[in-house]
Amino acid sequence: QVQLVESGGGLVQAGGSLTLSCVASGRTFSTYAVRWFRQAPGKERVFVAHISTSGGSTYYADSVKGRFTISRDNAKNTVYLQMNSLKPEDTAVYYCAVGVRESYPFWGQGTQVTVSS
């Protein structure tokens, strides 16, 4: 079992930046890939970013490519999502999830990001 806690959300103006953190419990964190997802009001949850177990491989949704950066520190059991040049359409609840291959069974509770225009 892995427990995840996201933090770092908040209210920011368009063009601003935020860094989200996802801290995991347990000793096996480094064996899991991690993904960030987001869910805007009235919309489905969608993929944002992925990072491999070592951090050597990352990929992003087209909507955030070039603006968001995912990274991890396995010694701290933490994954980060650096978000720059934020837009109002980035407003959502952001969730981290850990898993292997295409199975991501462990999720955090989410952190709200609100971008004002």
Side-chain angles (χ1 to χ4, degrees):
Q1 190 78 6
V2 178
Q3 293 185 329
L4 304 171
V5 178
E6 302 99 332
S7 63
L11 174 63
V12 64
Q13 289 188 333
S17 298
L18 283 174
T19 299
L20 306 184
S21 299
C22 171
V23 179
S25 64
R27 300 179 181 178
T28 60
F29 175 71
S30 62
T31 66
Y32 291 106
V34 182
R35 291 181 175 177
W36 284 96
F37 295 81
R38 67 186 182 187
Q39 186 167 19
K43 296 188 177 181
E44 293 186 352
R45 192 175 300 185
V46 297
F47 166 79
V48 174
H50 168 97
I51 189 164
S52 62
T53 54
S54 67
S57 176
T58 60
Y59 56 87
Y60 302 88
D62 287 344
S63 58
V64 307
K65 201 172 297 182
R67 300 187 298 121
F68 289 13
T69 302
I70 189 171
S71 61
R72 69 189 295 164
D73 184 342
N74 285 339
K76 296 182 178 180
N77 277 15
T78 303
V79 169
Y80 305 97
L81 186 68
Q82 172 69 43
M83 307 186 295
N84 298 327
S85 302
L86 283 162
K87 305 174 181 180
E89 51 263 45
D90 293 319
T91 295
V93 178
Y94 284 71
Y95 301 87
C96 63
V98 301
V100 294
R101 296 184 179 87
E102 293 304 312
S103 175
Y104 285 79
F106 304 115
W107 291 74
Q109 83 292 344
T111 185
Q112 175 71 47
V113 171
T114 302
V115 185
S116 63
S117 57

